[in-house]
Amino acid sequence: MSISKTYLPKETEDKWYSYWLKHNFFKSVPDEREPYTIVIPPPNVTGVLHMGHMLNNTIQDVLVRRARMKGKNACWVPGTDHASIATEAKVVAMLKERGIAKKDLTRPEFLTYAWEWKEKYGGIILDQLKKLGASCDWDRTKFTMDEELSEAVIDTFIHLYKKGLIYRGVRMVNWDPQGKTAVSDEEVIRKEVNQKLYYIKYQVSSIKYQDQGADDQNSNDLILDTKYLTIATTRPETIMADAAICINPNDERYVHLHGKRVFIPLINREIPVILDDYVTMDFGTGCLKVTPAHDLNDYELGQKHHLPVIDILNDDGTLNEKAQILVGEDRFIARKKIAVLLEEAGALAKVEDYKSQIGFSERTDAVIEPKLSMQWFCKMGEMAKPALDYVLNGEVKLIPEKFVNTYRHWMENVRDWNISRQLWWGQQIPAWYLPNGEFVIAKSEDEALKEAQLKTHNLQLTTADLTQDPDVVDTWFSSWLWPISVFDGFKDPNNADINYYYPTNDLVTAPEILFFWVARMIMAGHEFRGQAPFKNVYLTGIVRDKLGRKMSKSLGNSPDPLDLIEQYGADGVRVGMLLCSPAGNDLMFDVSYCEQGRNFANKIWNAFKLIKGWEVDNSLANPNEIAIEWFDSRFNQALGEIEDNFAQYRLSEALMATYKLVWDDYCAWYLEMIKPAYQQPIDAVTYKATVAYFENILKILHPFMPFLTEELWHDELFGERDTLDCCIVAQLPNIGEINTQLLSEVEVVKIILTQIRNIRQTKQISPKEALELSVKSNSGINYQQYEAIIAKLGNISVFTAVNDKVSGAVNFLALTDEFFIPLNESIDPVVECARLNKERDYLLGFLKSVDAKLNNERFMANAKSEIVENERQKRADAEAKLKITEQNLADLAC
RNA sequence: GGGAGUUUAGCUCAGCUGGUUCAGAGCAUCUGCCUUACAAGCAGAGGGUCACUGGUUCGAACCCAGUAACUCCCA
């Protein structure tokens, strides 16, 4: 049977994934081993796999697989998030297509449709993760609206309410007019947008109304005009909601306005001029329109000055009757129309281009409208404190550490969390309203009734008198419980799972949800378990394209991860992702990394092919002792580096160390050293060692490249394997002895071989032509033991040790040892002299710099002794080399 | 406006408590090779005023101050 020339991922991936599943390798139940737990950041149930997931889950899988191979009981809990706004929007859209409007449905009817939709389309993303190789314990798959998880949400709500941490109040919230719901601060994405700044003239009321003809005034004129004051706003459509004009009391330009009143243009409502140093004098005109209903800062200013709140917007962003004009128009259309009306009325002084930050809804991308409404809030201050401490005292480690500062800043300035959403898809708020407007909080309608009867001392009340709050809680109010609720730690706080798996080990997530998810999970962990939910938080970067732009659907710059897997194989894509992903820094993704990953897979495949093709001859002696011993040391050395990198969560460096070990050390050096001549058999000892090394290499590769390694693992090259003897559960080798002298001497051998190849290249000598090599050793290295290797890889026919230099031969230095290769052609003395002179100049310069240190009293006094010793050694080496070089120069009579 | 971070080869990044010649890796580039494991490869080579300006130090990519550019978070 011939082996394919390249690795073919498609033939292995599904096969091994099913095999792993069939034999329950991903499954975890508590036992006596040490647990290693990761809970997945639950993707939206509506989501499809994008590059961010790809990165995130590759990292998790690498960590989980490695833990499994270190003998831990590894458990990776998967699941999805019900994503109320996003899912509800999808369901509404689906219904609309079928000609059904949400408003015509009852809540239960709507929810039936929603569940249907979820069952049918939800969770695709979990199947996509399987393609990537994610070794999740699928039996533990959870959904944030599962019965136990929902129950946990309700219980949590009640618990926090009783503790006084949840309250109801009118607050300015971020209103999403498209989703028609409030969203939390964290769900508002700010973007810089080109806008217009409208300068609008308000007539001052104590002056008689006259003179309209001054369109061409500049700003200074505007200020000097005492009949009008001019404000600058980006939102002219909200002037009808103005409650006052505010100026800075120190603003000398406007002293004449103190105590005055002005008219709102078009509707001619009279409003006061108020004074507050909140107003920045040098922004706009220095006059600020105060619109408490439609701006957070204005709201606060309004509260301070007891201004009325006039809300002129409907929930869908259209103007209502209170606006008096443009009623029913959408806010953006109204903006354009009112500009025209103001212009016609002579109230528009000018329009400027202006850039400013605008909030957009993360879920619907609608422009967020600040809106006053009655909402439920969760107090954060008290909970933030312990959650901050976990991170500050290192019980929860953020990786990289730079996020600690950001985290602290946020936790110290945390604001109360608006947890209600005006949606149906989610956990309905467990509050029941009584006819008198009071409310009770209870787990069920029956309990609510009892509470209500108790509260009102009215036993006549029936459930018909109660109305449950129609809103649901924020999705994050269920995801913050995730590390506890996936192990059913609320209903059954002492069950075997939660006691075993909690706290979890590592959380891998994006820094953008550090606050609205990570911080809150720590709060919940502390509140409900008295323990942080995880020990380490690995924050990945944002996947960007080559040009540094965030990958997004709208830009169309994101490759489909499944296409990438199709093209480069799951292992190739995993390697590609990790090659360019430093922790916490954004990564500039490019498919060329996947290509590199695929090439690497292919390299391993071909190394396998080579070994597989050898025939063993038991009668042969082992000529490769040195090579075998060297690779053993090198392997152990690399193992240490990899271990160290993992301990610091430097995954891309751990991968790179592995990559170089395999490609350079194993393939390029080791296999070349021991490779028998064409169609010659190999001795048994070398063969055995080589196969054993290869098996160890498969182990360290497995977390990165699970499919390829599992495929090779089962080849008969490695002998008969039991059904359950799989690479996925193989135990990683321990670090063995390292012969450092051998390692450094082989480095010299590599220099010699590189020099020989270099000479061949420059002198255009074919690799097939054998050369003679002599060495005049000054270092004490016994080159005899490396003779076989040098002869084989350098194609050297005769390798001799000499006491005197060989004249007329090409020569080079490796450390302080001199090597000679006699050639037929004579050496050009001019070229050779130039080379030697350059070498001498360099050495002289080097010596000078070393001597400068050694002759410097302050250096000798201050530098550590090993550094001084090091300088002395450098000096000795340089002098030795200089001596050789000068001798060569003298011999050539340069 | 407040805070954090980044700036090292064409690209992506290492460079741990300042101390092996003004620095490493992978990719890319250039040159030569279809040398029967691999052209998705092999061998060799080139490439950097460590953003800029000062300072501290015997010694600075690394510490300090300032400047510039970019990124992120918060308001």
Side-chain angles (χ1 to χ4, degrees):
Chain A
M1 186 193 83
S2 75
I3 305 166
S4 155
K5 205 170 170 184
T6 53
Y7 167 59
L8 303 171
K10 272 177 227 167
E11 291 178 9
T12 66
E13 292 180 356
D14 288 346
K15 177 176 76 184
W16 289 112
Y17 202 85
S18 323
Y19 192 91
W20 293 326
L21 279 178
K22 187 176 153 200
H23 296 287
N24 291 321
F25 287 123
F26 303 161
K27 197 169 171 51
S28 169
V29 286
D31 60 21
E32 69 294 336
R33 288 175 297 168
E34 189 187 331
Y36 175 85
T37 321
I38 294 187
V39 291
I40 205 169
N44 287 356
V45 70
T46 61
V48 288
L49 199 69
H50 59 58
M51 294 306 289
H53 295 124
M54 194 79 172
L55 169 68
N56 188 262
N57 289 291
T58 298
I59 292 168
Q60 291 177 72
D61 197 46
V62 169
L63 295 174
V64 166
R65 284 179 186 270
R66 191 172 151 84
R68 201 178 278 125
M69 296 177 77
K70 292 192 95 176
K72 297 194 182 149
N73 185 347
C75 180
W76 183 10
V77 184
T80 49
D81 177 307
H82 66 276
S84 27
I85 301 179
T87 310
E88 183 150 331
K90 292 226 167 169
V91 175
V92 167
M94 178 270 289
L95 290 171
K96 201 175 164 190
E97 253 172 51
R98 294 206 226 159
I100 307 168
K102 181 188 166 193
K103 65 174 170 48
D104 297 332
L105 295 176
T106 64
R107 186 177 191 121
E109 283 169 349
F110 177 82
L111 289 176
T112 307
Y113 282 118
W115 277 105
E116 260 175 37
W117 189 94
K118 185 255 168 187
E119 294 307 328
K120 199 164 168 195
Y121 303 107
I124 293 173
I125 193 162
L126 297 182
D127 288 322
Q128 295 180 318
L129 285 177
K130 294 174 185 168
K131 295 271 171 219
L132 179 66
S135 58
C136 304
D137 183 352
W138 298 107
D139 294 343
R140 292 181 179 273
T141 305
K142 293 287 187 294
F143 175 52
T144 50
M145 268 172 76
D146 284 345
E147 211 177 314
E148 318 89 73
L149 278 81
S150 284
E151 197 182 335
V153 167
I154 299 304
D155 288 344
T156 302
F157 187 104
I158 296 168
H159 168 91
L160 294 175
Y161 176 78
K162 284 187 182 150
K163 254 188 120 172
L165 293 176
I166 284 184
Y167 62 93
R168 191 167 177 255
V170 174
R171 292 288 186 284
M172 189 63 92
V173 297
N174 305 301
W175 186 261
D176 175 343
Q178 199 171 312
K180 293 199 197 102
T181 177
V183 296
S184 69
D185 294 339
E186 289 73 19
E187 290 166 303
V188 177
I189 312 292
R190 282 169 198 284
K191 297 184 208 164
E192 184 139 287
V193 173
N194 288 319
Q195 297 201 87
K196 300 268 186 238
L197 193 58
Y198 298 84
Y199 286 78
I200 303 172
K201 299 198 294 181
Y202 286 50
Q203 191 192 3
V204 180
S205 85
S206 57
I207 310 270
K208 275 234 158 183
Y209 186 68
Q210 48 169 259
D211 182 21
Q212 292 198 7
D215 286 357
D216 54 350
Q217 293 157 315
N218 62 33
S219 301
N220 280 333
D221 293 336
L222 296 172
I223 291 162
L224 294 171
D225 188 337
T226 55
K227 302 178 193 71
Y228 296 93
L229 65 78
T230 304
I231 57 98
T233 179
T234 55
R235 304 206 54 191
E237 76 280 11
T238 63
I239 60 169
M240 293 81 82
D242 286 354
I245 298 293
C246 189
I247 55 178
N248 193 309
N250 304 317
D251 197 335
E252 289 172 9
R253 299 170 298 178
Y254 295 123
V255 177
H256 63 281
L257 291 175
H258 291 193
K260 294 279 172 63
R261 296 173 75 80
V262 298
F263 288 106
I264 298 173
L266 303 176
I267 60 169
N268 288 322
R269 183 158 55 76
E270 205 180 22
I271 53 170
V273 174
I274 61 169
L275 305 175
D276 199 298
D277 53 20
Y278 163 76
V279 178
T280 319
M281 288 189 276
D282 49 15
F283 178 80
T285 61
C287 297
L288 173 77
K289 79 196 259 299
V290 184
T291 319
H294 300 296
D295 183 278
L296 180 59
N297 296 314
D298 289 14
Y299 176 71
E300 279 161 11
L301 199 59
Q303 293 287 93
K304 191 169 159 192
H305 293 271
H306 308 290
L307 298 174
V309 176
I310 305 152
D311 187 344
I312 62 160
L313 288 176
N314 291 315
D315 288 352
D316 61 358
T318 57
L319 273 59
N320 64 27
E321 303 75 39
K322 289 193 192 129
Q324 301 179 41
I325 53 171
L326 299 168
V327 175
E329 295 282 7
D330 179 78
R331 51 195 167 141
F332 298 114
I333 295 167
R335 184 175 303 169
K336 288 193 179 123
K337 290 196 171 171
I338 202 164
V340 175
L341 294 176
L342 287 166
E343 177 88 56
E344 286 166 4
L348 189 62
K350 61 171 176 174
V351 180
E352 281 177 352
D353 287 328
Y354 181 66
K355 261 189 190 164
S356 72
Q357 297 268 321
I358 299 249
F360 290 83
S361 167
E362 189 194 25
R363 313 273 175 166
T364 66
D365 208 37
V367 173
I368 290 297
E369 194 62 57
K371 186 178 167 70
L372 274 177
S373 71
M374 182 67 91
Q375 301 283 346
W376 291 92
F377 290 87
C378 184
K379 283 189 193 168
M380 288 281 98
E382 233 173 90
M383 283 196 269
K385 251 187 128 201
L388 174 58
D389 290 341
Y390 281 113
V391 170
L392 292 185
N393 67 24
E395 274 179 75
V396 173
K397 261 174 68 186
L398 302 187
I399 298 142
E401 259 176 78
K402 66 177 180 183
F403 287 107
V404 173
N405 279 334
T406 323
Y407 181 84
R408 181 195 358 229
H409 187 257
W410 190 77
M411 293 301 256
E412 283 172 351
N413 297 285
V414 68
R415 304 206 333 210
D416 286 356
W417 173 17
N418 170 215
I419 54 170
S420 44
R421 296 289 180 274
Q422 289 62 52
L423 301 165
W424 283 349
W425 179 244
Q427 292 91 8
Q428 193 171 359
I429 288 174
W432 275 264
Y433 299 101
L434 311 182
N436 66 3
E438 286 185 273
F439 62 85
V440 292
I441 301 294
K443 195 163 176 177
S444 65
E445 197 173 43
D446 289 346
E447 282 177 34
L449 181 63
K450 278 184 215 152
E451 287 268 335
Q453 288 171 339
L454 214 67
K455 190 165 187 170
T456 56
H457 307 290
N458 177 2
L459 293 175
Q460 310 305 314
L461 279 179
T462 67
T463 50
D465 298 314
L466 300 179
T467 329
Q468 188 176 359
D469 193 312
D471 291 355
V472 297
V473 291
D474 181 9
T475 307
W476 296 105
F477 198 83
S478 48
S479 18
W480 75 324
L481 309 176
W482 186 249
I484 305 172
S485 60
V486 293
F487 299 116
D488 203 14
F490 284 93
K491 201 171 75 201
D492 191 2
N494 254 318
N495 76 69
D497 276 1
I498 188 99
N499 284 337
Y500 183 72
Y501 294 114
Y502 190 95
T504 68
N505 296 72
D506 297 333
L507 178 81
V508 180
T509 192
E512 44 201 4
I513 54 174
L514 182 58
F515 307 126
F516 55 136
W517 193 47
V518 179
R520 286 175 186 154
M521 277 193 287
I522 299 175
M523 291 180 194
H526 178 75
E527 179 70 25
F528 300 105
R529 301 288 309 176
Q531 243 179 328
F534 28 70
K535 297 178 193 97
N536 302 294
V537 180
Y538 179 98
L539 297 150
T540 64
I542 295 166
V543 183
R544 297 174 177 279
D545 67 9
K546 235 171 148 176
L547 303 171
R549 298 174 307 178
K550 204 168 163 173
M551 285 195 170
S552 72
K553 245 190 211 162
S554 51
L555 273 175
N557 58 349
S558 175
D560 180 342
L562 295 178
D563 289 348
L564 289 177
I565 290 175
E566 176 76 17
Q567 203 177 344
Y568 299 103
D571 292 334
V573 178
R574 290 165 67 109
V575 167
M577 282 310 328
L578 288 175
L579 278 175
C580 60
S581 60
N585 278 339
D586 289 356
L587 52 108
M588 311 296 159
F589 179 81
D590 187 74
V591 288
S592 64
Y593 290 106
C594 293
E595 210 173 298
Q596 193 181 347
R598 178 205 54 187
N599 294 354
F600 185 41
N602 202 40
K603 184 74 189 175
I604 298 159
W605 180 259
N606 276 291
F608 161 76
K609 234 180 96 178
L610 173 70
I611 299 167
K612 178 91 174 150
W614 288 338
E615 255 175 63
V616 183
D617 183 342
N618 285 310
S619 67
L620 287 178
N622 167 24
N624 300 310
E625 248 175 86
I626 287 283
I628 293 168
E629 201 191 328
W630 167 74
F631 187 76
D632 192 58
S633 278
R634 179 60 204 118
F635 180 79
N636 284 317
Q637 190 184 40
L639 215 52
E641 288 162 17
I642 294 163
E643 179 68 44
D644 197 50
N645 284 322
F646 267 108
Q648 296 177 68
Y649 291 83
R650 297 171 163 211
L651 269 60
S652 59
E653 286 180 62
L655 171 59
M656 188 45 72
T658 311
Y659 181 93
K660 284 194 275 195
L661 174 73
V662 175
W663 199 308
D664 299 341
D665 297 313
Y666 189 71
C667 293
W669 288 107
Y670 175 75
L671 289 180
E672 292 300 329
M673 286 177 193
I674 59 132
K675 187 160 109 181
Y678 182 53
Q679 289 190 331
Q680 293 298 304
I682 191 163
D683 69 279
V685 174
T686 305
Y687 184 75
K688 226 178 125 191
T690 306
V691 170
Y693 290 151
F694 199 77
E695 190 177 89
N696 272 339
I697 280 172
L698 291 181
K699 289 181 190 173
I700 58 169
L701 279 169
H702 180 83
F704 302 112
M705 311 177 88
F707 294 109
L708 167 64
T709 50
E710 194 71 83
E711 170 75 12
L712 295 181
W713 183 264
H714 292 272
D715 190 88
E716 60 192 12
L717 179 66
F718 302 101
E720 279 287 305
R721 298 219 188 254
D722 292 339
T723 318
L724 297 182
D725 180 0
C726 289
C727 196
I728 187 176
V729 286
Q731 295 300 291
L732 289 173
N734 293 317
I735 301 173
E737 269 180 49
I738 298 168
N739 180 342
T740 48
Q741 192 194 339
L742 179 58
L743 284 175
S744 58
E745 288 187 2
V746 170
E747 286 313 300
V748 179
V749 170
K750 288 185 187 175
I751 293 173
I752 295 162
L753 287 165
T754 301
Q755 292 281 14
I756 295 169
R757 288 162 177 170
N758 191 357
I759 288 164
R760 285 185 189 278
Q761 173 102 355
T762 50
K763 307 266 181 213
Q764 305 207 318
I765 302 165
S766 159
K768 286 175 185 158
E769 189 182 327
L771 297 171
E772 288 174 25
L773 180 70
S774 311
V775 58
K776 179 171 178 286
S777 178
N778 306 308
S779 68
I781 294 177
N782 172 14
Y783 284 105
Q784 210 172 356
Q785 55 179 334
Y786 303 110
E787 186 180 342
I789 292 170
I790 294 171
K792 186 173 192 177
L793 300 192
N795 194 11
I796 298 299
S797 53
V798 188
F799 183 30
T800 45
V802 292
N803 293 320
D804 296 306
K805 46 179 299 195
V806 180
S807 58
V810 177
N811 61 87
F812 60 86
L813 279 177
L815 293 188
T816 52
D817 298 336
E818 296 166 82
F819 290 83
F820 307 94
I821 300 177
L823 291 178
N824 293 334
E825 63 174 291
S826 57
I827 289 163
D828 183 342
V830 179
V831 174
E832 187 62 8
C833 282
R835 186 181 73 85
L836 291 168
N837 271 317
K838 209 175 148 193
E839 176 76 13
R840 188 189 57 180
D841 289 349
Y842 173 79
L843 287 167
L844 284 172
F846 179 53
L847 267 182
K848 206 175 149 192
S849 83
V850 176
D851 279 338
K853 285 185 194 174
L854 290 171
N855 295 332
N856 184 326
E857 277 171 39
R858 301 178 74 172
F859 172 76
M860 298 303 279
N862 294 324
K864 279 178 266 177
S865 58
E866 56 278 18
I867 285 154
V868 176
E869 192 41 52
N870 198 1
E871 292 298 318
R872 288 210 174 101
Q873 187 60 49
K874 272 158 65 179
R875 185 173 201 285
D877 287 352
E879 278 198 320
K881 282 191 190 176
L882 186 63
K883 214 176 129 192
I884 295 165
T885 309
E886 281 181 335
Q887 185 59 52
N888 285 342
L889 280 164
D891 290 350
L892 275 171
C894 290

